[in-house]
Amino acid sequence: MKGKIDAIVVGLGAAGGIIASELARAGMKVVALEKGAFYQPSDFLTKFDEIRYYCRSAIVPHMKSDPITWRPNKKTKAQILPWASNTLGLGDPFQIPPSIGTGGGTLIWGGAAFRFREADFRMRSTIIERFSEKALPEGTTVVDWPIDYKTLEPYYDRVEWELGVSGKAGNINNQIVDGGNPFEAPRSRDYPMPPIQRSAADRLFVEAAKRLGFHPFPTPTAIASVDYKGRKACTNCGFCHGFPCHIGAKVSTYDLVKAAVEETGNLEVRPFSRVFRINHKTGKVKGVSYFDVDGKVVDLEAPIVILACYALENARLLLVSGINENGQVGKHLMVHNYGWFTGVLPDFVNSFMGSLQSGSVIDDYTSELIPDNDEGVLWGSPINTWTGDFQPIETIRGLPPHVPRWGREFKRWMSENFRRLFRMYSQHSTLPSHQNYVDLDPEVKDPFGQPALRITHDWTEYDAKAVEFFMKIKREIAREMGMKEWWEDSPTPKYHVTVHDAGTHRMGLDPKTSVVNPFGEVHECKGLYAVGGGQFPTLPSYNPTETIFALAYMTSDHLLGRI
């Protein structure tokens, strides 16, 4: 791009893809630096390849090129993620940061598109009002958000209608609607599309949940259930989570970026560009330095720089650039514990078909709706279902302990049960605390000589109790569905990266206790923005992506002077 650059966007995932496109369409000259490729539609036509995308981690970070280390506490020496450390440096895509390249994690996400609840924005106040301040675990740094649900509701609506989300509303302007989520916060209108096609297993779950007194509703999903704004309706191909969509039914910011490049002339994407430093002086951003595709150092200047990488990488870039006057960068790390529960249904339900979101959710015990309990669990979770999208290799890695991984008995079990699988999971948020954080590893570096990020995180007794509380409910539902066999993940699993990691550059109004303001601008460096899940002061139990989209639209409006 010749001439003056108005803004640099680093990373073209959920947040960066929206912001770069919005700024370019408003007439600003934008250069986007993306660590991965600038994909073309033809790259996705032959995507039905579990070896390529799952086993070989084709479009997600590898620990050899993008190392991350982990330790349970500061007394233990960190090691490169042990659950992703093998000869090739590959890991389960659910347990490492999301994909790189235009679209980022939105290329391969499952599409769950939840709004946060009203209470999720005031978690600290809600817990204290309900249980008292003494109930909070020692060392917890839980706070309220500096914005509320009403602030984001117009942006949630914009996400659902501009990008396209399928679902069924349960509360329109405080009027409860049959078939939707009766516990959701009020919304201004329904979803633009009906829910995606229900799987065969969903009927069994819905009937069982209702018999037990729960209120199931279809999972809101950023996948087209009908043709919508040029996107084709889902074909139920069964290769959804972990895979790009070959017909474009699934929302991805890749499509926004590609269209903005072609239609505006204001957005230049520079693929295979690895930013290694944010340049700044006297409290003002100057630009960035990056390695180009040939490994040469390039300095790029602009009055606005938007860090829109994953929460972990945003924190690493801030730290390596010396932007951390108040010591808050990298603090308050939060992750989800999924509490996986998998079982075998009595009849075939063809669990290899459709999206993993083609089932229903129960929200009866989500967030502040958690019932009184002796375990001391302070914040609840939805119970989500995984009714389709079971690929064979991924399934094999999660078989029950008694089933061998090869031989006659393995073949018999798979032939009898693969088409009858069903999964439930919850999403328990670690409460932000002083003991969970990220910083720079003093020893491990990437191939370019840059320090790796070091994660310090461990599951607590509180985390385990929260998972077990909901595991009891899953067992009750499983029995009601007629399951004879099921198996459960550990309440303290081996992974400590969950693709929902958040909080590493917390938003707030006080520059002493937060990193960015509600629009994502870094307090100590004017013109520098750090956006995405790292902004979250707390991590609710819902998937974070729709809220990341909503915050990105809000930041775009701020940058364009619309707020």
Side-chain angles (χ1 to χ4, degrees), residues 235-272:
T235 61
N236 294 307
C237 71
F239 284 80
C240 192
H241 84 284
F243 298 85
C245 185
H246 68 296
I247 63 168
K250 181 168 59 177
V251 167
S252 173
T253 58
Y254 158 79
D255 298 305
L256 301 181
V257 169
K258 182 173 181 294
V261 169
E262 295 174 351
E263 295 169 9
T264 70
N266 293 328
L267 176 57
E268 178 189 343
V269 177
R270 299 184 185 179
F272 304 112

Side-chain angles (χ1 to χ4, degrees), residues 420-554:
R420 298 192 289 150
L421 294 176
F422 174 79
R423 179 174 292 161
M424 290 179 279
Y425 62 101
S426 36
Q427 295 184 154
H428 305 281
S429 307
T430 54
L431 297 175
S433 70
H434 295 295
Q435 66 195 55
N436 296 327
Y437 59 91
V438 300
D439 60 4
L440 299 177
D441 193 290
E443 299 178 10
V444 178
K445 300 186 185 310
D446 69 17
F448 291 83
Q450 301 302 303
L453 189 79
R454 178 174 63 182
I455 297 171
T456 302
H457 173 271
D458 203 7
W459 305 110
T460 66
E461 182 181 0
Y462 173 84
D463 296 327
K465 286 181 177 180
V467 173
E468 178 58 25
F469 179 90
F470 280 84
M471 203 67 81
K472 294 175 183 177
I473 301 171
K474 294 169 199 170
R475 294 175 197 135
E476 188 177 8
I477 295 172
R479 285 188 286 266
E480 190 68 25
M481 292 178 70
M483 286 189 192
K484 302 299 182 185
E485 178 182 13
W486 64 73
W487 53 102
E488 306 166 3
D489 198 5
S490 166
T492 54
K494 65 178 182 180
Y495 57 79
H496 298 267
V497 177
T498 66
V499 303
H500 290 176
D501 314 308
T504 52
H505 46 93
R506 169 184 280 185
M507 73 163 82
L509 301 178
D510 186 351
K512 296 179 181 179
T513 59
S514 60
V515 179
V516 303
N517 68 19
F519 300 113
E521 187 170 21
V522 177
H523 291 305
E524 70 178 85
C525 190
K526 186 175 178 57
L528 175 63
Y529 291 75
V531 298
Q535 290 177 260
F536 292 7
T538 56
L539 178 61
S541 298
Y542 298 103
N543 302 62
T545 310
E546 180 162 343
T547 300
I548 292 173
F549 285 154
L551 289 171
Y553 275 125
M554 189 173 80

Side-chain angles (χ1 to χ4, degrees), residues 9 57 77 80 140 143 196 237 275 305 315 433 457 537:
V9 178
S57 305
K77 181 178 174 58
I80 294 178
T140 295
V143 294
I196 59 175
C237 71
V275 173
V305 174
S433 70
H457 173 271

Side-chain angles (χ1 to χ4, degrees), residues 218-381:
T219 306
T221 310
I223 297 174
S225 59
V226 296
D227 290 356
Y228 187 78
K229 290 189 173 183
R231 289 163 52 204
K232 293 294 186 182
C234 177
T235 61
N236 294 307
C237 71
F239 284 80
C240 192
H241 84 284
F243 298 85
C245 185
H246 68 296
I247 63 168
K250 181 168 59 177
V251 167
S252 173
T253 58
Y254 158 79
D255 298 305
L256 301 181
V257 169
K258 182 173 181 294
V261 169
E262 295 174 351
E263 295 169 9
T264 70
N266 293 328
L267 176 57
E268 178 189 343
V269 177
R270 299 184 185 179
F272 304 112
S273 299
R274 300 176 65 95
V275 173
F276 64 89
R277 185 176 63 240
I278 304 152
N279 299 318
H280 56 100
K281 187 176 181 181
T282 61
K284 188 175 182 180
V285 75
K286 296 296 183 183
V288 301
S289 297
Y290 68 93
F291 297 109
D292 69 8
V293 66
D294 297 315
K296 297 179 180 178
V297 174
V298 178
D299 297 320
L300 195 62
E301 294 186 356
I304 297 173
V305 174
I306 297 121
L307 296 184
C309 309
Y310 192 57
L312 303 180
E313 180 64 4
N314 270 1
R316 193 190 72 83
L317 285 173
L318 290 169
L319 290 169
V320 81
S321 303
I323 301 173
N324 189 24
E325 279 184 356
N326 63 5
Q328 291 295 304
V329 175
K331 305 301 184 183
H332 319 294
L333 171 69
M334 298 168 287
V335 304
H336 271 153
N337 188 324
Y338 294 110
W340 297 112
F341 181 105
T342 310
V344 179
L345 293 171
D347 301 310
F348 288 152
V349 290
N350 291 339
S351 42
F352 55 88
M353 295 175 61
S355 165
L356 72 90
Q357 312 296 356
S358 57
S360 295
V361 185
I362 57 175
D363 240 4
D364 297 65
Y365 294 163
T366 299
S367 303
E368 85 284 5
L369 300 178
I370 185 75
D372 292 338
N373 59 89
D374 295 332
E375 291 87 346
V377 180
L378 305 175
W379 210 249
S381 168

Side-chain angles (χ1 to χ4, degrees), residues 183-196:
F183 305 107
E184 73 174 348
R187 56 177 57 245
S188 55
R189 54 179 169 170
D190 204 341
Y191 293 95
M193 292 177 282
I196 59 175

